Amino acid sequence: MNKHFFSDMGVMVGRSMRHISRSMDTIITVTITPIALLLLFVYVFGGAIQTGTDHYVNYLMPGILLIAVASGISYTAYRLFLDKSKGIFERFHSMPIARSTVLWGHVLTSLVSNALSVIIIIFVALIMGFRSSAGVLSWLAVAGIIALFTLALTWMAAIAGLSAKSVDGVSAFSYPLIFLPFISSAFVPTESMPWAVRAFAENQPVTSIVESIRALLSNQPVGNEIWIALAWCVGIMIVAYFFAMRVYKARR
Amino acid sequence: MQNQSIQVKGLQKSYKKLQVLKGVDFEVEKGTIFALLGSNGAGKTTVVKILSTLLKPDGGTATVNGFEVVSKSENVRKSISLTGQFAAVDEVLTGRENLIMIARLRHLEQPRQVADELLQRFGLTGAADRRASTYSGGMRRRLDIAMSLIGKPQIIFLDEPTTGLDPEARIEVWKVVKELADSGTTVFLTTQYLEEAEQLADRIAILHEGRLIASGTLEKLKKLFPPAKVEYVEKQPSLEEIFLTIINKKEETKDE
Ligand SMILES: Nc1ncnc2c1ncn2[C@@H]1O[C@H](COP(=O)(O)OP(=O)(O)OP(=O)(O)O)[C@@H](O)[C@H]1O
Ligand SMILES: [Mg+2]
């Protein structure tokens, strides 16, 4: 490891924090769709949806947070694409610095900015009547799962941002990710779906993540679901990290 | 220490099927200005990227400051600084922050002071605390070059440093380049402007279709040009004319 790793990392973190604090508008933009969905589903469709829980907003919350992360991640890809296409990476890479810190700076930016969007959305949900009986430990577990999910998607975003040829290509990659929660137990219980859709919904990563977060927030036992959720997140993260690193290093 | 800052032998590079460099040789002496001339797509940027450790060559060898660019890339990076073809500044940061960031990455003692001096020198003090996204093309380029001077690297690569600049800004950049060479820095620059090479360079090389078709001092290149014939006033051939003559000769020999 480069002996300046920590000092270089510090510089990259400082850069990241400036990028975040100066692009609050992007964080707000990211929260608009999830908040709109929250309003729409709670006040328009909510009455017709049978979930077996007290408040539909409580049922909805985990899925909305995942959607927020999935849409926030497109900015991660975008920022990486900009650094690559504007020659910032080349400038850094021709300098005697620890190369990996350049990428880790982006990962950190992604984590912090998504955390901010998630916090904003939780506030809005609280106003709408969202309540949780979860204790500190459960909240920490929720934060951990969302952070892992963000990391997994961040490395996917890195692949997209580093290999995209145009800005359009960058933003297109996150659409399927935003769509995935709709075909899961995020909005309605999977029991109501036709068998083929249901089979997909019950076996895709979002459902297990949503179920785990929902169980944690409502103080229910999480059961096996949380291990499946963690396995998905860690699995996706490792595979995406591997490919992202390949793209990142292939530039030589 | 040996007297060559850059030594390139038989350099080859292809992108998939497109062979861009087909065996390029040249040397750059310490403290001199070397200009690599070539039209669009000639492979100038490719040469710069190989020498600045961003690309690996397919064949041949290149050493920078005595270090082989592939096996000793870390040492090469300690000796050089790159100003790429397109201004690589962080647009979200201010000019001052950009400079401080690079000074920190170069592990200098007083990053703020370094930034202040360069802002002064490049006439950016007034715009120092504005985001770089609000800068004009010329200001951005000056900031870009200023960032490359931080840490006083021994060898500086400038890839088309004056493309897109107005005449005034261009002369400004020329001044900086000359000062660098005077202070002992080796400057490797690429350009499409023959005039620029004439103005600045101690040695000039012309890259065409993957090879250097001419290289040497301006004097030497001028000798390649056939002597003036029926002209009344004896006129020094400009580099432009030399360039076109050489290229035409090549085309002729190719057709035969
Ligand atoms: N990453 C790449 N993949 C494929 N082809 C490339 C790549 N980079 C450059 N080329 C091609 O290689 C050739 C040389 O490119 P290079 O950028 O080195 O030329 P240049 O002399 O710098 O041109 P310009 O004056 O336009 O900057 C061009 O034909 C270009 O299209
Ligand atoms: Mg070029």
Side-chain angles (χ1 to χ4, degrees):
Chain A
M1 192 181 277
N2 192 304
K3 69 175 170 174
H4 292 299
F5 183 86
F6 291 105
S7 115
D8 293 348
M9 195 63 210
V11 178
M12 294 301 166
V13 170
R15 173 173 185 243
S16 291
M17 291 308 140
R18 290 212 162 89
H19 275 248
I20 293 171
S21 65
R22 286 173 199 177
S23 53
M24 278 305 161
D25 50 327
T26 63
I27 290 172
I28 304 295
T29 313
V30 164
T31 62
I32 288 175
T33 312
I35 289 173
L37 284 172
L38 206 54
L39 293 171
L40 190 69
F41 274 84
V42 171
Y43 296 120
V44 182
F45 305 138
I49 299 174
Q50 297 302 316
T51 60
T53 44
D54 42 357
H55 260 303
Y56 183 53
V57 65
N58 290 351
Y59 183 87
L60 204 54
M61 226 18 219
I64 293 292
L65 295 181
L66 297 194
I67 289 181
V69 173
S71 48
I73 222 74
S74 64
Y75 281 101
T76 303
Y78 177 66
R79 278 189 293 259
L80 273 155
F81 175 76
L82 277 191
D83 268 11
K84 188 197 75 165
S85 56
K86 296 232 159 173
I88 309 259
F89 277 171
E90 290 185 346
R91 155 151 263 140
F92 286 151
H93 289 173
S94 67
M95 292 173 66
I97 62 171
R99 282 194 170 201
S100 57
T101 58
V102 184
L103 215 47
W104 282 109
H106 279 274
V107 172
L108 200 84
T109 315
S110 181
L111 274 177
V112 174
S113 57
N114 277 299
L116 290 176
S117 332
V118 163
I119 289 169
I120 293 175
I121 293 168
I122 290 178
F123 265 106
V124 173
L126 283 172
I127 297 168
M128 289 170 63
F130 163 67
R131 292 294 177 270
S132 162
S133 48
V136 177
L137 276 182
S138 299
W139 271 107
L140 281 179
V142 169
I145 295 174
I146 294 179
L148 262 182
F149 181 70
T150 310
L151 272 178
L153 294 198
T154 295
W155 287 107
M156 285 175 73
I159 303 174
L162 290 170
S163 53
K165 299 275 181 276
S166 71
V167 180
D168 296 335
V170 173
S171 45
F173 110 96
S174 66
Y175 298 153
L177 294 179
I178 297 171
F179 197 67
L180 222 43
F182 287 97
I183 317 172
S184 78
S185 65
F187 292 93
V188 292
T190 52
E191 288 81 30
S192 60
M193 301 174 184
W195 75 267
V197 181
R198 181 174 170 183
F200 173 79
E202 286 182 351
N203 293 295
Q204 63 127 321
V206 170
T207 296
S208 60
I209 301 169
V210 160
E211 297 287 339
S212 311
I213 297 178
R214 192 177 284 143
L216 285 166
L217 288 181
S218 57
N219 244 343
Q220 303 288 315
V222 285
N224 261 342
E225 213 63 58
I226 193 159
W227 300 115
I228 300 172
L230 290 179
W232 272 115
C233 288
V234 173
I236 293 171
M237 184 168 75
I238 290 171
V239 173
Y241 173 84
F242 173 77
F243 281 105
M245 275 303 180
R246 256 183 51 164
V247 181
Y248 185 62
K249 289 184 175 153
R251 309 203 70 245
R252 294 220 50 204
Chain B
M1 274 291 281
Q2 31 89 9
N3 223 12
Q4 304 298 333
S5 274
I6 304 173
Q7 287 173 298
V8 172
K9 283 198 198 78
L11 199 63
Q12 294 183 6
K13 179 73 191 175
S14 306
Y15 296 108
K16 305 233 167 69
K17 281 202 181 110
L18 178 71
Q19 208 183 350
V20 179
L21 304 177
K22 302 172 182 166
V24 171
D25 309 79
F26 63 85
E27 296 192 339
V28 181
E29 239 171 78
K30 237 184 208 131
T32 62
I33 303 176
F34 181 91
L36 184 64
L37 265 165
S39 40
N40 280 132
K44 304 180 295 295
T45 299
T46 305
V47 173
V48 169
K49 284 190 181 170
I50 291 173
L51 295 179
S52 54
T53 77
L54 297 174
L55 270 182
K56 279 187 181 137
D58 299 336
T61 58
T63 57
V64 172
N65 205 23
F67 302 109
E68 214 279 315
V69 289
V70 180
S71 55
K72 294 274 189 289
S73 55
E74 197 57 33
N75 298 73
V76 172
R77 286 182 211 128
K78 284 188 182 133
S79 325
I80 64 161
S81 169
L82 166 69
T83 306
Q85 184 163 356
F86 305 102
V89 303
D90 187 330
E91 304 205 332
V92 177
L93 304 186
T94 66
R96 190 193 303 281
E97 288 167 344
N98 266 292
L99 292 165
I100 293 175
M101 174 176 73
I102 300 296
R104 291 230 165 94
L105 288 174
R106 293 234 178 237
H107 315 112
L108 301 187
E109 294 290 322
Q110 297 189 297
R112 293 194 161 270
Q113 202 178 319
V114 172
D116 283 338
E117 281 164 18
L118 283 165
L119 288 165
Q120 183 84 34
R121 179 168 167 200
F122 283 84
L124 290 168
T125 309
D129 297 313
R130 255 168 47 201
R131 287 197 200 182
S133 56
T134 66
Y135 284 17
S136 71
M139 292 163 78
R140 215 173 280 208
R141 198 50 166 171
R142 275 182 289 166
L143 175 60
D144 191 35
I145 295 176
M147 284 160 79
S148 296
L149 302 192
I150 296 173
K152 304 203 168 55
Q154 288 151 279
I155 301 163
I156 290 193
F157 294 96
L158 299 164
D159 195 358
E160 301 195 22
T162 62
T163 302
L165 296 191
D166 61 25
E168 218 171 314
R170 177 172 303 165
I171 289 168
E172 198 57 40
V173 170
W174 287 356
K175 212 181 91 195
V176 173
V177 172
K178 282 179 182 154
E179 282 169 10
L180 280 174
D182 287 343
S183 67
T185 308
T186 308
V187 180
F188 180 105
L189 64 89
T190 75
T191 179
Q192 297 186 31
Y193 304 114
L194 307 158
E195 192 205 345
E196 184 158 291
E198 276 192 83
Q199 281 285 332
L200 289 177
D202 300 301
R203 291 181 142 263
I204 298 166
I206 300 174
L207 184 61
H208 185 68
E209 295 189 342
R211 293 202 167 79
L212 292 190
I213 53 170
S215 71
T217 58
L218 183 60
E219 307 311 313
K220 190 179 152 201
L221 291 189
K222 280 186 171 163
K223 288 205 187 92
L224 289 175
F225 194 70
K229 285 171 251 162
V230 280
E231 278 169 287
Y232 267 86
V233 190
E234 201 173 311
K235 179 172 152 263
Q236 285 280 2
S238 81
L239 205 49
E240 183 121 33
E241 291 167 296
I242 301 173
F243 181 64
L244 293 175
T245 316
I246 297 172
I247 286 177
N248 285 340
K249 266 191 204 152
K250 291 261 156 173
E251 310 281 284
E252 277 161 29
T253 47
K254 229 175 31 186
D255 293 341
E256 277 160 18

